[in-house]
Amino acid sequence: MAEHWEVNCKGLLEENHTILNLFLRSLKEKNKSQEILKRYRAALQYFFLAHLVSYKVVTGDMLEVWLTKQRAQKKDRTVNEYLKALRAFYNFCVQEQHLDTFPLDASLQVISSKERYWELKSTLPNPDNQLIVNQFLLHMKSLGRTEHTIVSMRIYLQRIFKEIDQSLRQLTREEIEQRVVDTHQQRSESARNGMWSTLRSLYEYCWENEILDDTPLRNKRKFAEATDLYWELKGRFTVEENKDVVNAFLLYLKNKRRTKKTIVEYGIFLQRFFGTNPVNFRQVNRKQIKEWFSLQDPDWSMRTINNYKQVLRSFYFFCVRKEYMEKSPIHYFWVEKNASKKYWVTDKTFSSPTNKEVVNEYLQSMKISNMSEQTIILYKRTLEVYFVQKEEEFSTISFDEVLQWVIQQQKVVQATTVNGRLSVLAAFFTFCVEEGYMECVPIKTRWYMREPRPIPRYLEKGELAKVRQQAEKELLRNRIIIEFLLSSGCRIRELHLLDKKDVDVDTRTACVLGKGGKIREVHFSVTCALLLERYWEMEEVKEEEHPALLVSRIGTRLGMSRMRKIINQLGEGSGIKGSLYPHRFRHTFATELLTKGAELDFIADELGHANLETTKIYARIPKWKLIRLYRRYVG
């Protein structure tokens, strides 16, 4: 009768059968546990039944392809057990001189999971390159690059380094160019551009993190030569004092441990701005800054312009802190997009000037009533769609005319959209009646389409735990977004508009600006308060002069679209059902309060609802509690 550790199955080659039993016997003699012996036996039998070849001819590629295939079908823990068993088996074969070489790559420690899309899926010939490339791809993920971008980078880098034994630290530009030509001569121009862009990013990362002293792919227009005094500008300045203060600022950045790349970029821009400027830095005013930017490269993107303005702003705040001047000429004139544009005035050309005049009058009344900017813009667009092509005046529009328009809309858009547009028209015509321009509103209530009321989606306990666990891997600022929304029940716009001065971490309260310009006090958790304190203690945030609670990378108020993207990516990473969006946190907040026994009027106050019926939509009794109540009262 076979021992528990012996291989005893049909289908294995006799040679493999013998060597496997020798290997397992050696483990038995080393007093390995019965559990380990069984795991190793099962893994090796599974592998050699799938590969009906001698163990002597198995290659590293065969092993890695098989492991990668298993990773797509099995859990990471199982696949890593397979890897350990194969590594131990082939170590035994080499030590006992059954084999001369070890087929499995020694640098392969863990087979990456399908969730770890940023890791190389094949082993590079040079272990140093393998480590650096994986670190670079993980860095790209931490910067918020999309999965598509990172996977593209990974494919490019696998393709370029898969046959290079030499370390990337030693490659010259000529060698890199030749390799790109060899691998991409049959590919499109966009693929070649993608390869070059990825390689430049890789070498910039290596230079920035001091993996390399210099980079063979330096963009000379963008980067200055790196020396021991890389922070010191050597160029000519029209005003010598400007040069001294700029160098003092760059040294300050170096002492604050800003990266070499950042300091060099700041220096290049400040050299450009002050180098030929005949005005002392103290005498530069806001108008001159605007004029200077208007004369620069017209192809600069808005992001580039904002980045450069942020550099200038940081420089002048440094000057104020060091008391070189009393007040900075830089404020936030680039932050407020379309600040001078009157969003409540339509600039479209109407067939009837009278219609345009009354539409603008109505939009002006909405602005005076303190309606939100988003609401006014939505109403303006709907009224433009309806009135721009209409030649007859608004006061002559009949019931039949509006009804025909509604019927036409029903054929092209959903019921929710039709009802929304009808509500806008009804509000406009009601305004006209109140102002005496019309006698009645040419819309009937029965024209509104019946639409199913969606059930608000809250996070179940398990989903909430997954989201919070995933949030711990995020940047501190992103964790604050998640925790604040979950513990306060705020709308995303309310958090977006929140300033530092509106938040009190001692009492754990914040004053938010809600719908209709209503200000209310909300509360947040102890965890959120601790995160905020840590956030404000960070050097970058402590020195940040922007009043906003949450600030973007370029020093502006963090946008709502960026917050939504952060939350959506968090939901994807946590593996919960359905998409994750800010209002789902609001539903979760209300549902949790209801579950814990809070009264509806209290929940309404926290959410900022004037009507308890609205609160009932948000706060729903969870399924598990409904079952418990049913069993208590019904049985």
Side-chain angles (χ1 to χ4, degrees):
M1 183 177 177
E3 296 283 350
H4 67 271
W5 49 267
E6 287 184 336
V7 173
N8 186 22
C9 67
K10 297 179 181 180
L12 285 177
L13 294 180
E14 186 63 32
E15 186 179 18
N16 293 346
H17 191 283
T18 303
I19 193 67
L20 288 177
N21 276 334
L22 286 174
F23 165 64
L24 293 169
R25 181 186 292 276
S26 71
L27 295 181
K28 178 73 168 56
E29 291 171 353
K30 293 177 183 178
N31 294 322
K32 296 293 183 182
S33 70
Q34 184 173 332
E35 183 184 351
I36 290 177
L37 288 168
K38 286 183 177 180
R39 286 207 308 266
Y40 277 28
R41 183 189 65 184
L44 293 168
Q45 282 182 174
Y46 186 44
F47 175 78
F48 283 107
L49 284 172
H51 299 81
L52 297 178
V53 295
S54 170
Y55 72 96
K56 295 179 180 179
V57 299
V58 172
T59 64
D61 286 342
M62 290 171 62
L63 289 164
E64 196 163 336
V65 167
W66 183 77
L67 287 167
T68 303
K69 183 180 178 181
Q70 300 309 307
R71 176 179 52 77
Q73 301 170 354
K74 295 181 172 60
K75 294 182 179 179
D76 294 345
R77 180 178 176 182
T78 303
V79 179
N80 288 330
E81 285 293 337
Y82 292 165
L83 176 58
K84 287 168 63 178
L86 287 165
R87 188 182 299 283
F89 169 71
Y90 277 106
N91 269 329
F92 165 81
C93 293
V94 172
Q95 289 170 4
E96 297 297 320
Q97 298 182 352
H98 298 294
L99 283 176
D100 294 329
T101 58
F102 185 76
L104 196 60
D105 194 312
S107 66
L108 185 62
Q109 298 298 326
V110 177
I111 300 297
S112 64
S113 66
K114 52 191 172 186
E115 288 81 12
R116 297 169 72 87
Y117 56 84
W118 62 90
E119 289 185 340
L120 291 173
K121 303 303 179 188
S122 60
T123 305
L124 301 180
N126 188 296
D128 189 38
N129 292 350
Q130 182 100 16
L131 178 63
I132 293 172
V133 169
N134 274 331
Q135 288 175 345
F136 163 70
L137 294 172
L138 182 58
H139 175 69
M140 291 293 104
K141 180 178 182 296
S142 69
L143 293 180
R145 300 291 190 270
T146 64
E147 180 176 346
H148 174 75
T149 299
I150 294 172
V151 169
S152 299
M153 287 180 161
R154 188 194 75 205
I155 293 170
Y156 286 138
L157 294 173
Q158 281 180 176
R159 192 178 293 156
I160 203 79
F161 289 113
K162 69 178 180 180
E163 295 178 5
I164 297 179
D165 296 328
Q166 192 177 5
S167 172
L168 63 84
R169 304 169 193 261
Q170 302 166 347
L171 293 175
T172 63
R173 182 179 180 89
E174 291 72 22
E175 290 172 328
I176 296 171
E177 287 177 346
Q178 186 58 50
R179 184 62 189 153
V180 172
V181 170
D182 291 344
T183 56
H184 282 69
Q185 57 184 348
Q186 302 299 327
R187 301 183 186 275
S188 65
E189 183 179 355
S190 63
R192 289 194 295 273
N193 291 339
M195 170 62 78
W196 276 116
S197 175
T198 301
L199 284 169
R200 273 194 294 270
S201 297
L202 171 66
Y203 275 102
E204 285 170 17
Y205 165 80
C206 293
W207 179 56
E208 177 184 335
N209 290 274
E210 300 183 357
I211 297 171
L212 295 173
D213 295 331
D214 200 358
T215 166
L217 298 182
R218 182 184 305 286
N219 185 332
K220 293 182 179 178
R221 180 182 63 81
K222 187 175 181 182
F223 298 108
E225 286 297 325
T227 65
D228 290 339
L229 296 176
Y230 60 86
W231 50 268
E232 186 176 341
L233 296 181
K234 303 291 186 181
R236 185 175 299 174
F237 279 68
T238 305
V239 179
E240 195 64 25
E241 188 181 7
N242 290 353
K243 180 178 180 178
D244 293 339
V245 176
V246 168
N247 278 332
F249 170 62
L250 297 176
L251 178 59
Y252 165 79
L253 294 179
K254 178 179 181 295
N255 293 336
K256 290 295 180 182
R257 297 186 178 180
R258 297 295 176 91
T259 64
K260 186 185 295 185
K261 176 184 172 183
T262 298
I263 295 171
V264 171
E265 286 181 329
Y266 274 40
I268 289 173
F269 168 72
L270 293 171
Q271 168 88 50
R272 186 171 188 170
F273 183 83
F274 286 109
T276 57
N277 196 332
V279 180
N280 185 283
F281 74 94
R282 295 184 181 86
Q283 299 168 342
V284 173
N285 57 41
R286 184 172 175 175
K287 182 180 179 181
Q288 291 170 333
I289 294 171
K290 281 190 172 181
E291 288 176 353
W292 186 88
F293 275 101
S294 68
L295 297 174
Q296 301 313 302
D297 191 342
D299 293 331
W300 277 358
S301 67
M302 182 57 66
R303 181 175 181 177
T304 300
I305 294 171
N306 282 344
N307 283 343
Y308 286 158
K309 287 178 176 179
Q310 167 66 10
V311 173
L312 202 57
R313 173 173 165 270
S314 298
F315 167 76
Y316 272 111
F317 282 139
F318 163 80
C319 294
V320 172
R321 282 194 295 269
K322 293 295 182 180
E323 298 183 353
Y324 297 151
M325 55 196 301
E326 292 183 0
K327 186 179 179 182
S328 168
I330 299 284
H331 298 291
Y332 305 103
F333 58 87
W334 67 85
V335 177
E336 303 298 333
K337 297 178 182 177
N338 300 324
S340 61
K341 186 177 179 180
K342 294 182 178 180
Y343 58 85
W344 61 91
V345 176
T346 177
D347 53 4
K348 297 277 186 182
T349 301
F350 281 57
S351 298
S352 168
T354 303
N355 290 347
K356 180 174 182 178
E357 182 181 346
V358 177
V359 166
N360 276 331
E361 186 180 342
Y362 171 61
L363 295 173
Q364 176 74 34
S365 72
M366 294 181 70
K367 176 70 171 60
I368 294 171
S369 300
N370 205 21
M371 303 290 281
S372 72
E373 181 178 343
Q374 285 80 3
T375 301
I376 295 174
I377 291 173
L378 175 64
Y379 274 53
K380 179 176 71 174
R381 288 173 180 169
T382 303
L383 293 171
E384 286 171 349
V385 168
Y386 186 80
F387 281 109
V388 160
Q389 301 296 331
K390 277 206 176 300
E391 295 182 356
E392 62 269 35
E393 291 188 5
F394 69 97
S395 58
T396 63
I397 293 174
S398 64
F399 284 89
D400 289 340
E401 205 169 344
V402 178
L403 179 59
Q404 290 303 314
W405 182 81
V406 171
I407 294 171
Q408 182 185 7
Q409 291 290 301
Q410 289 174 348
K411 297 176 182 178
V412 293
V413 294
Q414 295 180 350
T416 305
T417 306
V418 174
N419 290 344
R421 291 176 179 176
L422 200 54
S423 296
V424 172
L425 285 179
F428 169 75
F429 286 127
T430 300
F431 166 81
C432 294
V433 170
E434 291 173 350
E435 294 296 316
Y437 299 146
M438 300 175 68
E439 292 184 358
C440 67
V441 175
I443 293 175
K444 296 186 182 296
T445 306
R446 64 174 179 270
W447 293 350
Y448 287 89
M449 298 177 68
R450 180 172 294 181
E451 51 184 291
R453 199 163 198 172
I455 299 175
R457 298 188 64 184
Y458 57 85
L459 293 168
E460 299 282 358
K461 284 187 176 181
E463 293 176 321
L464 187 56
K466 287 180 181 179
V467 168
R468 283 204 157 106
Q469 186 178 9
Q470 182 68 21
E472 291 178 0
K473 305 174 186 177
E474 293 285 326
L475 296 173
L476 185 57
R477 182 201 63 190
N478 297 352
R479 289 182 65 189
I480 290 171
I481 295 172
I482 306 304
E483 191 60 37
F484 193 91
L485 291 175
L486 274 173
S487 62
S488 69
C490 279
R491 302 177 180 92
I492 190 69
R493 178 172 172 77
E494 293 169 348
L495 177 57
H496 163 71
L497 294 175
L498 204 56
D499 289 337
K500 296 187 186 97
K501 63 179 177 60
D502 300 324
V503 178
D504 187 342
V505 292
D506 294 328
T507 60
R508 304 206 317 271
T509 58
C511 289
V512 298
L513 182 65
K515 284 186 176 181
K518 298 175 185 176
I519 297 175
R520 77 177 191 281
E521 187 176 77
V522 298
H523 306 84
F524 50 87
S525 65
V526 176
T527 303
C528 186
L530 292 173
L531 291 174
L532 283 168
E533 287 178 343
R534 283 174 53 195
Y535 184 59
W536 289 334
E537 286 171 2
M538 291 169 58
E539 288 294 331
E540 293 83 356
V541 178
K542 190 189 297 183
E543 294 167 6
E544 181 56 63
E545 300 295 334
H546 200 290
L549 176 67
L550 300 171
V551 182
S552 68
R553 185 181 61 81
I554 61 171
T556 60
R557 186 182 295 274
L558 189 64
M560 288 188 289
S561 60
R562 178 60 185 151
M563 289 188 200
R564 289 190 181 96
K565 187 173 182 180
I566 289 167
I567 293 168
N568 182 257
Q569 289 174 343
L570 178 75
E572 292 175 355
S574 61
I576 63 172
K577 293 181 181 179
S579 60
L580 189 62
Y581 44 88
H583 237 58
R584 199 167 175 184
F585 290 148
R586 190 165 160 86
H587 293 307
T588 304
F589 170 78
T591 301
E592 278 212 332
L593 285 182
L594 187 66
T595 305
K596 292 174 181 177
E599 299 292 337
L600 270 181
D601 54 355
F602 169 74
I603 300 174
D605 286 341
E606 289 294 307
L607 294 176
H609 290 159
N611 190 341
L612 285 181
E613 292 301 315
T614 308
T615 310
K616 290 178 182 178
I617 297 172
Y618 279 80
R620 303 184 65 84
I621 299 175
K623 188 184 295 182
W624 64 267
K625 190 170 185 182
L626 283 173
I627 294 171
R628 184 179 294 176
L629 290 172
Y630 178 87
R631 287 174 180 170
R632 179 190 297 175
Y633 296 114
V634 181

